[in-house]
Amino acid sequence: CNYSSTYICFHFVNAFPLILLDLLPAKNGEEATMQFLLELVDILTNYVRKSFDRSTKVLDFHHPHQLLEGMEGFNLELSDQPESLEQILVDCRDTLKYGVRTGHPRFFNQLSTGLDIIGLAGEWLTSTANTNMFTYEIAPVFVLMEQLTLKKMREIIGWPPGEGDGIFSPGGAISNMYSVMIARYKYFPEVKTKGMSAAPRLVLFTSEHSHYSIKKAGAALGFGSENVVLLSTDERGRVIPADLEAKILDVKQKGYHPLFVNATAGSTVYGAFDPINEIADICEKYNMWLHVDGAWGGGLLMSRKHRHKFSGVERANSVTWNPHKMMGVPLQCSAILVREKGILAGCNSMCAGYLFQPDKQYDVSYDTGDKAIQCGRHVDIFKFWLMWKAKGTIGFEQHIDKCLDLSQYLYDKIRNREGYEMVFDGVPQHTNVCFWYIPPSLRGMEHNSKEYREKLHKVAPNIKAMMMESGTTMVGYQPQGQKVNFFRMVISNPAALQSDIDFLIDEIERLGRDL
Amino acid sequence: CNYSSTYICFHFVNAFPLILLDLLPAKNGEEATMQFLLELVDILTNYVRKSFDRSTKVLDFHHPHQLLEGMEGFNLELSDQPESLEQILVDCRDTLKYGVRTGHPRFFNQLSTGLDIIGLAGEWLTSTANTNMFTYEIAPVFVLMEQLTLKKMREIIGWPPGEGDGIFSPGGAISNMYSVMIARYKYFPEVKTKGMSAAPRLVLFTSEHSHYSIKKAGAALGFGSENVVLLSTDERGRVIPADLEAKILDVKQKGYHPLFVNATAGSTVYGAFDPINEIADICEKYNMWLHVDGAWGGGLLMSRKHRHKFSGVERANSVTWNPHKMMGVPLQCSAILVREKGILAGCNSMCAGYLFQPDKQYDVSYDTGDKAIQCGRHVDIFKFWLMWKAKGTIGFEQHIDKCLDLSQYLYDKIRNREGYEMVFDGVPQHTNVCFWYIPPSLRGMEHNSKEYREKLHKVAPNIKAMMMESGTTMVGYQPQGQKVNFFRMVISNPAALQSDIDFLIDEIERLGRDL
């Protein structure tokens, strides 16, 4: 019996003599298929259980060359001949064994952490349904779920009811790319047909702390990365509105056209929220598009306690919001939301007759494909919809508030602790807590000396490498501007408790003590 | 006991009194989590079994307003308060009930059909691992699998070993967009920083039968859709090389710069393969980038019998190849493959320090994030890798050959059958069989008359609507150029048999007889 649980019991009466050709669509393939899938589910559920168990390692680190050479029968190479189903199941087990447990309570490495069981169930169903969002015809339920969810998200943003549009895209970078495309279409629709030469030199503005996807979009869409102007920030990483206005005037004086401002709501490193209302005033004054990149911060819109950080968001023309980050939805789940109805389709439609036939028997305004830059589009909505059903809006709010409380706990714990230095002063706006750990050997050294900076720069990478080797926890680090490498702790993991924060601090001190 | 199988037996000893807060990460949440997931798996495996059962309908069609009004307790609206887990499971059942069974042996509606059990297992594992492809750090195994699989695909294309690059992207449209970006970067790298004004007017060439994503890429990337020149085709939908050369010369004479040619390998409607070698000659002559869009046709590269249709592909600079189409891999799984090493990173890198630290303890050349236009990137590789392991290259070959045989069977069956007319002559190059069904009332009418054309134009939509209402099978239709609506049958479904083809023809005749 695979489970000792009192609730559930499997009986695999036979051993596993199955071959691929026994599986569906083979005639009478039902039993073999069920047996195979349940063996797999056994592997997966065991993995899930262990991922939540703090006595399990977060990862079992190996270098690329080690995995490529093959680990005890785990061979990554593909061959002409098939493997047995038994080996396939072993491959599945090994794939998980040498991976990283992103759902582990002590995994803090990325903005997306944790494993939500309802979200997981949603993904399993999504892959079983294996369909495509481009038409109502083959995804009727999912298309409606997307529409209703986007509507709800726009309501939460605070846009007028009945207006607006949006779409789920494969991640925040693509969502941000959409915002730039739509802004260009709004002010210079002829670029769609005639290219960038039909417009004056267009300039985009975004914080020096913002996500690199705005610059990437500028490069990809033909603006050029030099026409993405980086805005200065205060010591907390928030855009300084006066700097924006000065740079707009500078650009205008050169004869270029200021088109678009991105305000970040939850920056990647500091978790900073740009002052949206002040930026919106400037955008209105100069007739520019205002995009809010809430990829990371978006979840806070669902918290009555924290949504004030988004004050002014209802004045934005478009918003990126990634439920796969702060809200714990499995990857990928990112929405681009647009205030003006129709502009998304106007920007992207090519009216491909073979796919979007106007003479179908249903209301074809539900076909979403021509609004997208994709053709086929993965179903990203269901897991999110299902989590919303299971938690309710209040469940998301509780999760957000809890993560921010934990982050405050960490902040309170280390801000005056010996051997720690905060990267910026004051309570973080999001769950990002940025700090240096100063090993005893560096304490008391002159902070501005070259030697100190060089040594400190190596501390976080060294501790991180040891952390990964020992597999106990994972947290990110990076430099920022003139600031040498520091830890960036982020909390979006629903499994994390105060004791896990304590563990992280203990672990940093244990590993860094003798550096 | 949920399964009467002799192999497997579940015992759900208790009823289902679970609430969300019982699930992991709750303390002692293991049993409740297992119980919930196994209840879900029961729903999913039942769905899988029924999907392969020909007595089950392909779909249970409802109009948008019907689903929005709520079907017998299936309410799509989201609320502030949570639903019970019992209701969540009912929602899962209903979501599948009102969806479309894309794995059904009689689902022929799209290029992506069928439900591969190994691919499904791969997706379930992928969502359980819930990680992100951007760094080796958090996706070590998946990053290596992607690298090895892309290498294998480049070998199959026939590029020199040790060279080349590639990445999995969220669908063929994005893969094609990559090809245009890379081509621009190759010839005019300064566009990345300075924008399109740093280059002369650039022109892209693609067949009038090609996928609309090339035009969409032209619009999005700042070329303008008018600078995407459509090439004439022969009656089989293949580009006429002389037309390409004439149009290049025309563009040059106007002082514009011909940059890029897309050769389609398996067009969406006709399944046509453009003559790659002749197009490659022209590209070499005029120093242009050659992209091969094998999103649909790519699978044929794995068939010794059919890969000659790709003759010359090794001369391409880039290739799009979607395993999620002809090879039956679950959506999404699309690769953009590039012959020149380093150019993908050169084109897209922004060197974001907070994500891609150069001072990690492992070889950071394995971090893929800076090559992509995305930041976070879903794990699309595992299901494909697992299927390749389970089938071997020969298993994919057998699947491809079988689908093409079935398509030939359909072609042979209807080409001389009363009431059918083929849209183009000769054996189709891919599995696309394009035909009109002529109801008895239209037979013998003058084919060029306005009345005949108008009536015939309505036949396919009418039959399709009745098919969806009765839920028995699904096949696509569309007009093409001057040709009124016709059926486009495509076969990629591994579950389809000759009897399913027979069924489709019988069904068309049953539904269309009295039109």
Side-chain angles (χ1 to χ4, degrees), chain A residues 7 11 62 75 136-137 184 216 220 348 372 389 464 477, chain B residues 7 11 62 75 136-137 184 216 220 348 372 389 464:
Chain A
Y7 292 101
H11 291 294
H62 292 84
N75 173 13
Y136 178 86
E137 186 170 322
R184 179 174 65 184
K216 241 177 195 180
N348 292 314
K389 277 280 187 188
K464 175 69 178 277
Y477 73 87
Chain B
Y7 293 99
H11 292 293
H62 292 85
N75 174 13
Y136 178 87
E137 184 170 324
R184 180 175 65 185
K216 240 177 195 179
N348 292 314
K389 278 279 187 189
K464 174 70 177 278

PDB file of all heavy atoms in Angstrom, chain A residues 7 11 62 75 136-137 184 216 220 348 372 389 464 477, chain B residues 7 11 62 75 136-137 184 216 220 348 372 389 464:
ATOM      1  N   TYR A   7      -7.092   7.561   5.223  1.00  0.00           N
ATOM      2  CA  TYR A   7      -8.139   7.947   4.275  1.00  0.00           C
ATOM      3  C   TYR A   7      -8.032   7.214   2.943  1.00  0.00           C
ATOM      4  O   TYR A   7      -9.008   6.900   2.319  1.00  0.00           O
ATOM      5  CB  TYR A   7      -8.068   9.456   3.993  1.00  0.00           C
ATOM      6  CG  TYR A   7      -8.444  10.284   5.178  1.00  0.00           C
ATOM      7  CD1 TYR A   7      -7.474  10.873   5.972  1.00  0.00           C
ATOM      8  CD2 TYR A   7      -9.792  10.459   5.507  1.00  0.00           C
ATOM      9  CE1 TYR A   7      -7.836  11.638   7.065  1.00  0.00           C
ATOM     10  CE2 TYR A   7     -10.151  11.237   6.590  1.00  0.00           C
ATOM     11  CZ  TYR A   7      -9.169  11.820   7.376  1.00  0.00           C
ATOM     12  OH  TYR A   7      -9.527  12.587   8.440  1.00  0.00           O
ATOM     13  N   HIS A  11      -3.937   0.113  -4.208  1.00  0.00           N
ATOM     14  CA  HIS A  11      -3.433  -1.254  -4.338  1.00  0.00           C
ATOM     15  C   HIS A  11      -2.935  -1.468  -5.747  1.00  0.00           C
ATOM     16  O   HIS A  11      -3.732  -1.563  -6.687  1.00  0.00           O
ATOM     17  CB  HIS A  11      -4.541  -2.277  -4.053  1.00  0.00           C
ATOM     18  CG  HIS A  11      -4.952  -2.288  -2.628  1.00  0.00           C
ATOM     19  ND1 HIS A  11      -4.124  -2.691  -1.627  1.00  0.00           N
ATOM     20  CD2 HIS A  11      -6.108  -1.918  -2.034  1.00  0.00           C
ATOM     21  CE1 HIS A  11      -4.755  -2.585  -0.463  1.00  0.00           C
ATOM     22  NE2 HIS A  11      -5.954  -2.093  -0.684  1.00  0.00           N
ATOM     23  N   HIS A  62      23.861  20.358  -8.019  1.00  0.00           N
ATOM     24  CA  HIS A  62      24.916  19.791  -8.856  1.00  0.00           C
ATOM     25  C   HIS A  62      25.265  20.790  -9.948  1.00  0.00           C
ATOM     26  O   HIS A  62      24.401  21.505 -10.435  1.00  0.00           O
ATOM     27  CB  HIS A  62      24.466  18.474  -9.490  1.00  0.00           C
ATOM     28  CG  HIS A  62      24.287  17.394  -8.483  1.00  0.00           C
ATOM     29  ND1 HIS A  62      23.127  17.253  -7.759  1.00  0.00           N
ATOM     30  CD2 HIS A  62      25.134  16.426  -8.051  1.00  0.00           C
ATOM     31  CE1 HIS A  62      23.273  16.242  -6.919  1.00  0.00           C
ATOM     32  NE2 HIS A  62      24.469  15.719  -7.077  1.00  0.00           N
ATOM     33  N   ASN A  75      19.937   9.858 -17.286  1.00  0.00           N
ATOM     34  CA  ASN A  75      20.619  10.248 -18.510  1.00  0.00           C
ATOM     35  C   ASN A  75      19.755  11.237 -19.283  1.00  0.00           C
ATOM     36  O   ASN A  75      18.654  10.909 -19.706  1.00  0.00           O
ATOM     37  CB  ASN A  75      20.882   8.978 -19.333  1.00  0.00           C
ATOM     38  CG  ASN A  75      21.447   9.291 -20.696  1.00  0.00           C
ATOM     39  OD1 ASN A  75      21.872  10.431 -20.965  1.00  0.00           O
ATOM     40  ND2 ASN A  75      21.452   8.304 -21.575  1.00  0.00           N
ATOM     41  N   TYR A 136     -13.397  31.064 -28.721  1.00  0.00           N
ATOM     42  CA  TYR A 136     -14.460  30.540 -27.862  1.00  0.00           C
ATOM     43  C   TYR A 136     -14.807  29.119 -28.283  1.00  0.00           C
ATOM     44  O   TYR A 136     -15.141  28.273 -27.465  1.00  0.00           O
ATOM     45  CB  TYR A 136     -15.695  31.441 -27.989  1.00  0.00           C
ATOM     46  CG  TYR A 136     -16.873  30.972 -27.171  1.00  0.00           C
ATOM     47  CD1 TYR A 136     -16.995  31.338 -25.832  1.00  0.00           C
ATOM     48  CD2 TYR A 136     -17.859  30.159 -27.725  1.00  0.00           C
ATOM     49  CE1 TYR A 136     -18.074  30.897 -25.071  1.00  0.00           C
ATOM     50  CE2 TYR A 136     -18.934  29.715 -26.970  1.00  0.00           C
ATOM     51  CZ  TYR A 136     -19.037  30.090 -25.650  1.00  0.00           C
ATOM     52  OH  TYR A 136     -20.095  29.645 -24.897  1.00  0.00           O
ATOM     53  N   GLU A 137     -14.700  28.878 -29.560  1.00  0.00           N
ATOM     54  CA  GLU A 137     -15.052  27.583 -30.132  1.00  0.00           C
ATOM     55  C   GLU A 137     -14.398  26.407 -29.408  1.00  0.00           C
ATOM     56  O   GLU A 137     -15.046  25.392 -29.176  1.00  0.00           O
ATOM     57  CB  GLU A 137     -14.606  27.601 -31.605  1.00  0.00           C
ATOM     58  CG  GLU A 137     -14.994  26.425 -32.423  1.00  0.00           C
ATOM     59  CD  GLU A 137     -14.708  26.705 -33.911  1.00  0.00           C
ATOM     60  OE1 GLU A 137     -14.915  27.853 -34.351  1.00  0.00           O
ATOM     61  OE2 GLU A 137     -14.267  25.790 -34.606  1.00  0.00           O
ATOM     62  N   ARG A 184       1.820  53.342 -28.334  1.00  0.00           N
ATOM     63  CA  ARG A 184       2.240  53.813 -29.662  1.00  0.00           C
ATOM     64  C   ARG A 184       1.048  53.837 -30.612  1.00  0.00           C
ATOM     65  O   ARG A 184       0.870  54.776 -31.385  1.00  0.00           O
ATOM     66  CB  ARG A 184       3.338  52.887 -30.189  1.00  0.00           C
ATOM     67  CG  ARG A 184       3.847  53.245 -31.561  1.00  0.00           C
ATOM     68  CD  ARG A 184       5.036  52.362 -31.955  1.00  0.00           C
ATOM     69  NE  ARG A 184       4.646  50.963 -32.096  1.00  0.00           N
ATOM     70  CZ  ARG A 184       5.505  49.969 -32.364  1.00  0.00           C
ATOM     71  NH1 ARG A 184       6.795  50.211 -32.476  1.00  0.00           N
ATOM     72  NH2 ARG A 184       5.074  48.737 -32.480  1.00  0.00           N
ATOM     73  N   LYS A 216      13.861  46.401 -22.822  1.00  0.00           N
ATOM     74  CA  LYS A 216      13.806  45.322 -23.810  1.00  0.00           C
ATOM     75  C   LYS A 216      12.697  45.580 -24.826  1.00  0.00           C
ATOM     76  O   LYS A 216      12.876  45.354 -26.025  1.00  0.00           O
ATOM     77  CB  LYS A 216      13.563  43.975 -23.112  1.00  0.00           C
ATOM     78  CG  LYS A 216      14.681  42.998 -23.350  1.00  0.00           C
ATOM     79  CD  LYS A 216      14.528  41.658 -22.623  1.00  0.00           C
ATOM     80  CE  LYS A 216      15.891  40.977 -22.661  1.00  0.00           C
ATOM     81  NZ  LYS A 216      15.994  39.689 -22.021  1.00  0.00           N
ATOM     82  N   ALA A 220      13.097  45.944 -28.779  1.00  0.00           N
ATOM     83  CA  ALA A 220      12.402  45.015 -29.678  1.00  0.00           C
ATOM     84  C   ALA A 220      11.444  45.736 -30.611  1.00  0.00           C
ATOM     85  O   ALA A 220      11.349  45.408 -31.793  1.00  0.00           O
ATOM     86  CB  ALA A 220      11.648  43.965 -28.854  1.00  0.00           C
ATOM     87  N   ASN A 348      -3.563  45.150 -32.485  1.00  0.00           N
ATOM     88  CA  ASN A 348      -2.982  43.859 -32.862  1.00  0.00           C
ATOM     89  C   ASN A 348      -3.720  43.081 -33.940  1.00  0.00           C
ATOM     90  O   ASN A 348      -3.183  42.106 -34.466  1.00  0.00           O
ATOM     91  CB  ASN A 348      -2.857  42.971 -31.615  1.00  0.00           C
ATOM     92  CG  ASN A 348      -1.822  43.517 -30.653  1.00  0.00           C
ATOM     93  OD1 ASN A 348      -0.732  43.886 -31.062  1.00  0.00           O
ATOM     94  ND2 ASN A 348      -2.169  43.594 -29.389  1.00  0.00           N
ATOM     95  N   ALA A 372      -4.297  39.392 -29.501  1.00  0.00           N
ATOM     96  CA  ALA A 372      -3.010  38.980 -28.944  1.00  0.00           C
ATOM     97  C   ALA A 372      -1.895  39.133 -29.959  1.00  0.00           C
ATOM     98  O   ALA A 372      -2.141  39.163 -31.163  1.00  0.00           O
ATOM     99  CB  ALA A 372      -3.092  37.536 -28.494  1.00  0.00           C
ATOM    100  N   LYS A 389     -11.907  31.349  -6.567  1.00  0.00           N
ATOM    101  CA  LYS A 389     -13.120  30.686  -6.064  1.00  0.00           C
ATOM    102  C   LYS A 389     -12.866  30.095  -4.674  1.00  0.00           C
ATOM    103  O   LYS A 389     -13.696  30.203  -3.775  1.00  0.00           O
ATOM    104  CB  LYS A 389     -13.505  29.544  -7.021  1.00  0.00           C
ATOM    105  CG  LYS A 389     -14.293  29.981  -8.235  1.00  0.00           C
ATOM    106  CD  LYS A 389     -15.759  30.179  -7.863  1.00  0.00           C
ATOM    107  CE  LYS A 389     -16.602  30.443  -9.091  1.00  0.00           C
ATOM    108  NZ  LYS A 389     -17.989  30.818  -8.731  1.00  0.00           N
ATOM    109  N   LYS A 464      25.634  32.626  -0.434  1.00  0.00           N
ATOM    110  CA  LYS A 464      24.638  31.998  -1.321  1.00  0.00           C
ATOM    111  C   LYS A 464      25.163  30.671  -1.874  1.00  0.00           C
ATOM    112  O   LYS A 464      24.425  29.669  -1.915  1.00  0.00           O
ATOM    113  CB  LYS A 464      24.307  32.945  -2.481  1.00  0.00           C
ATOM    114  CG  LYS A 464      23.392  32.390  -3.551  1.00  0.00           C
ATOM    115  CD  LYS A 464      21.972  32.183  -3.044  1.00  0.00           C
ATOM    116  CE  LYS A 464      21.046  31.675  -4.134  1.00  0.00           C
ATOM    117  NZ  LYS A 464      20.515  32.733  -4.971  1.00  0.00           N
ATOM    118  N   TYR A 477      20.525  37.690  -4.179  1.00  0.00           N
ATOM    119  CA  TYR A 477      21.397  38.841  -3.916  1.00  0.00           C
ATOM    120  C   TYR A 477      21.684  39.517  -5.242  1.00  0.00           C
ATOM    121  O   TYR A 477      21.493  38.931  -6.311  1.00  0.00           O
ATOM    122  CB  TYR A 477      22.720  38.395  -3.262  1.00  0.00           C
ATOM    123  CG  TYR A 477      23.650  37.701  -4.217  1.00  0.00           C
ATOM    124  CD1 TYR A 477      24.548  38.414  -5.013  1.00  0.00           C
ATOM    125  CD2 TYR A 477      23.623  36.319  -4.359  1.00  0.00           C
ATOM    126  CE1 TYR A 477      25.371  37.789  -5.924  1.00  0.00           C
ATOM    127  CE2 TYR A 477      24.447  35.672  -5.267  1.00  0.00           C
ATOM    128  CZ  TYR A 477      25.323  36.406  -6.048  1.00  0.00           C
ATOM    129  OH  TYR A 477      26.137  35.784  -6.964  1.00  0.00           O
TER     130      TYR A 477
ATOM    131  N   TYR B   7      -6.565  -3.619 -11.387  1.00  0.00           N
ATOM    132  CA  TYR B   7      -5.232  -3.188 -10.997  1.00  0.00           C
ATOM    133  C   TYR B   7      -5.241  -2.195  -9.843  1.00  0.00           C
ATOM    134  O   TYR B   7      -4.365  -2.195  -9.007  1.00  0.00           O
ATOM    135  CB  TYR B   7      -4.522  -2.503 -12.184  1.00  0.00           C
ATOM    136  CG  TYR B   7      -4.209  -3.439 -13.301  1.00  0.00           C
ATOM    137  CD1 TYR B   7      -5.014  -3.516 -14.419  1.00  0.00           C
ATOM    138  CD2 TYR B   7      -3.088  -4.265 -13.221  1.00  0.00           C
ATOM    139  CE1 TYR B   7      -4.710  -4.386 -15.453  1.00  0.00           C
ATOM    140  CE2 TYR B   7      -2.782  -5.143 -14.241  1.00  0.00           C
ATOM    141  CZ  TYR B   7      -3.591  -5.202 -15.363  1.00  0.00           C
ATOM    142  OH  TYR B   7      -3.294  -6.046 -16.375  1.00  0.00           O
ATOM    143  N   HIS B  11      -9.745   3.727  -1.893  1.00  0.00           N
ATOM    144  CA  HIS B  11     -10.750   3.693  -0.830  1.00  0.00           C
ATOM    145  C   HIS B  11     -10.845   5.051  -0.186  1.00  0.00           C
ATOM    146  O   HIS B  11      -9.952   5.448   0.561  1.00  0.00           O
ATOM    147  CB  HIS B  11     -10.365   2.657   0.240  1.00  0.00           C
ATOM    148  CG  HIS B  11     -10.441   1.261  -0.242  1.00  0.00           C
ATOM    149  ND1 HIS B  11     -11.625   0.656  -0.581  1.00  0.00           N
ATOM    150  CD2 HIS B  11      -9.473   0.350  -0.456  1.00  0.00           C
ATOM    151  CE1 HIS B  11     -11.382  -0.582  -0.981  1.00  0.00           C
ATOM    152  NE2 HIS B  11     -10.079  -0.798  -0.926  1.00  0.00           N
ATOM    153  N   HIS B  62     -22.643  25.270 -25.755  1.00  0.00           N
ATOM    154  CA  HIS B  62     -23.524  26.313 -25.214  1.00  0.00           C
ATOM    155  C   HIS B  62     -23.031  27.666 -25.688  1.00  0.00           C
ATOM    156  O   HIS B  62     -21.824  27.880 -25.812  1.00  0.00           O
ATOM    157  CB  HIS B  62     -23.552  26.269 -23.693  1.00  0.00           C
ATOM    158  CG  HIS B  62     -24.209  25.038 -23.170  1.00  0.00           C
ATOM    159  ND1 HIS B  62     -23.531  23.856 -23.013  1.00  0.00           N
ATOM    160  CD2 HIS B  62     -25.490  24.791 -22.810  1.00  0.00           C
ATOM    161  CE1 HIS B  62     -24.356  22.940 -22.561  1.00  0.00           C
ATOM    162  NE2 HIS B  62     -25.549  23.460 -22.427  1.00  0.00           N
ATOM    163  N   ASN B  75     -21.359  28.417 -11.609  1.00  0.00           N
ATOM    164  CA  ASN B  75     -21.383  29.869 -11.600  1.00  0.00           C
ATOM    165  C   ASN B  75     -19.968  30.400 -11.841  1.00  0.00           C
ATOM    166  O   ASN B  75     -19.075  30.171 -11.027  1.00  0.00           O
ATOM    167  CB  ASN B  75     -21.936  30.343 -10.256  1.00  0.00           C
ATOM    168  CG  ASN B  75     -21.865  31.845 -10.103  1.00  0.00           C
ATOM    169  OD1 ASN B  75     -21.623  32.572 -11.080  1.00  0.00           O
ATOM    170  ND2 ASN B  75     -22.040  32.315  -8.886  1.00  0.00           N
ATOM    171  N   TYR B 136      19.684  28.680 -14.435  1.00  0.00           N
ATOM    172  CA  TYR B 136      20.077  27.320 -14.041  1.00  0.00           C
ATOM    173  C   TYR B 136      19.848  27.132 -12.539  1.00  0.00           C
ATOM    174  O   TYR B 136      19.478  26.059 -12.092  1.00  0.00           O
ATOM    175  CB  TYR B 136      21.558  27.111 -14.384  1.00  0.00           C
ATOM    176  CG  TYR B 136      22.080  25.757 -13.984  1.00  0.00           C
ATOM    177  CD1 TYR B 136      21.958  24.660 -14.832  1.00  0.00           C
ATOM    178  CD2 TYR B 136      22.686  25.560 -12.746  1.00  0.00           C
ATOM    179  CE1 TYR B 136      22.418  23.406 -14.455  1.00  0.00           C
ATOM    180  CE2 TYR B 136      23.159  24.313 -12.364  1.00  0.00           C
ATOM    181  CZ  TYR B 136      23.019  23.242 -13.219  1.00  0.00           C
ATOM    182  OH  TYR B 136      23.473  22.008 -12.836  1.00  0.00           O
ATOM    183  N   GLU B 137      20.031  28.201 -11.814  1.00  0.00           N
ATOM    184  CA  GLU B 137      19.913  28.173 -10.358  1.00  0.00           C
ATOM    185  C   GLU B 137      18.609  27.547  -9.880  1.00  0.00           C
ATOM    186  O   GLU B 137      18.609  26.766  -8.935  1.00  0.00           O
ATOM    187  CB  GLU B 137      20.018  29.624  -9.859  1.00  0.00           C
ATOM    188  CG  GLU B 137      20.009  29.826  -8.393  1.00  0.00           C
ATOM    189  CD  GLU B 137      20.367  31.284  -8.062  1.00  0.00           C
ATOM    190  OE1 GLU B 137      21.219  31.876  -8.763  1.00  0.00           O
ATOM    191  OE2 GLU B 137      19.795  31.828  -7.117  1.00  0.00           O
ATOM    192  N   ARG B 184      17.019  41.431 -38.052  1.00  0.00           N
ATOM    193  CA  ARG B 184      17.282  42.873 -37.993  1.00  0.00           C
ATOM    194  C   ARG B 184      18.582  43.145 -37.243  1.00  0.00           C
ATOM    195  O   ARG B 184      19.400  43.978 -37.654  1.00  0.00           O
ATOM    196  CB  ARG B 184      16.099  43.578 -37.313  1.00  0.00           C
ATOM    197  CG  ARG B 184      16.255  45.071 -37.187  1.00  0.00           C
ATOM    198  CD  ARG B 184      14.984  45.703 -36.616  1.00  0.00           C
ATOM    199  NE  ARG B 184      14.721  45.261 -35.244  1.00  0.00           N
ATOM    200  CZ  ARG B 184      13.627  45.595 -34.563  1.00  0.00           C
ATOM    201  NH1 ARG B 184      12.677  46.339 -35.124  1.00  0.00           N
ATOM    202  NH2 ARG B 184      13.454  45.171 -33.328  1.00  0.00           N
ATOM    203  N   LYS B 216       2.110  40.359 -38.249  1.00  0.00           N
ATOM    204  CA  LYS B 216       1.961  40.886 -36.890  1.00  0.00           C
ATOM    205  C   LYS B 216       3.306  41.313 -36.331  1.00  0.00           C
ATOM    206  O   LYS B 216       3.423  42.350 -35.673  1.00  0.00           O
ATOM    207  CB  LYS B 216       1.343  39.807 -35.989  1.00  0.00           C
ATOM    208  CG  LYS B 216       0.027  40.245 -35.397  1.00  0.00           C
ATOM    209  CD  LYS B 216      -0.666  39.203 -34.560  1.00  0.00           C
ATOM    210  CE  LYS B 216      -2.098  39.670 -34.378  1.00  0.00           C
ATOM    211  NZ  LYS B 216      -2.957  38.807 -33.607  1.00  0.00           N
ATOM    212  N   ALA B 220       4.348  44.945 -35.027  1.00  0.00           N
ATOM    213  CA  ALA B 220       4.780  45.127 -33.638  1.00  0.00           C
ATOM    214  C   ALA B 220       6.193  45.682 -33.543  1.00  0.00           C
ATOM    215  O   ALA B 220       6.469  46.559 -32.729  1.00  0.00           O
ATOM    216  CB  ALA B 220       4.695  43.797 -32.880  1.00  0.00           C
ATOM    217  N   ASN B 348      19.042  40.234 -27.666  1.00  0.00           N
ATOM    218  CA  ASN B 348      18.073  40.457 -26.583  1.00  0.00           C
ATOM    219  C   ASN B 348      18.659  40.828 -25.233  1.00  0.00           C
ATOM    220  O   ASN B 348      17.922  41.247 -24.344  1.00  0.00           O
ATOM    221  CB  ASN B 348      17.192  39.216 -26.425  1.00  0.00           C
ATOM    222  CG  ASN B 348      16.285  39.023 -27.630  1.00  0.00           C
ATOM    223  OD1 ASN B 348      15.669  39.970 -28.094  1.00  0.00           O
ATOM    224  ND2 ASN B 348      16.224  37.814 -28.139  1.00  0.00           N
ATOM    225  N   ALA B 372      16.105  35.793 -23.897  1.00  0.00           N
ATOM    226  CA  ALA B 372      14.669  35.799 -24.180  1.00  0.00           C
ATOM    227  C   ALA B 372      14.106  37.211 -24.189  1.00  0.00           C
ATOM    228  O   ALA B 372      14.690  38.122 -23.607  1.00  0.00           O
ATOM    229  CB  ALA B 372      13.952  34.966 -23.126  1.00  0.00           C
ATOM    230  N   LYS B 389      11.851  10.725 -24.831  1.00  0.00           N
ATOM    231  CA  LYS B 389      12.398   9.559 -24.129  1.00  0.00           C
ATOM    232  C   LYS B 389      11.501   8.339 -24.321  1.00  0.00           C
ATOM    233  O   LYS B 389      11.974   7.232 -24.554  1.00  0.00           O
ATOM    234  CB  LYS B 389      12.500   9.872 -22.624  1.00  0.00           C
ATOM    235  CG  LYS B 389      13.733  10.645 -22.233  1.00  0.00           C
ATOM    236  CD  LYS B 389      14.934   9.711 -22.104  1.00  0.00           C
ATOM    237  CE  LYS B 389      16.145  10.415 -21.541  1.00  0.00           C
ATOM    238  NZ  LYS B 389      17.361   9.587 -21.598  1.00  0.00           N
ATOM    239  N   LYS B 464     -20.796  23.061 -39.967  1.00  0.00           N
ATOM    240  CA  LYS B 464     -19.987  23.177 -38.749  1.00  0.00           C
ATOM    241  C   LYS B 464     -20.859  23.519 -37.543  1.00  0.00           C
ATOM    242  O   LYS B 464     -20.688  22.940 -36.458  1.00  0.00           O
ATOM    243  CB  LYS B 464     -18.922  24.257 -38.955  1.00  0.00           C
ATOM    244  CG  LYS B 464     -18.093  24.604 -37.728  1.00  0.00           C
ATOM    245  CD  LYS B 464     -17.157  23.465 -37.346  1.00  0.00           C
ATOM    246  CE  LYS B 464     -16.275  23.824 -36.169  1.00  0.00           C
ATOM    247  NZ  LYS B 464     -15.099  24.594 -36.554  1.00  0.00           N
TER     248      LYS B 464
END
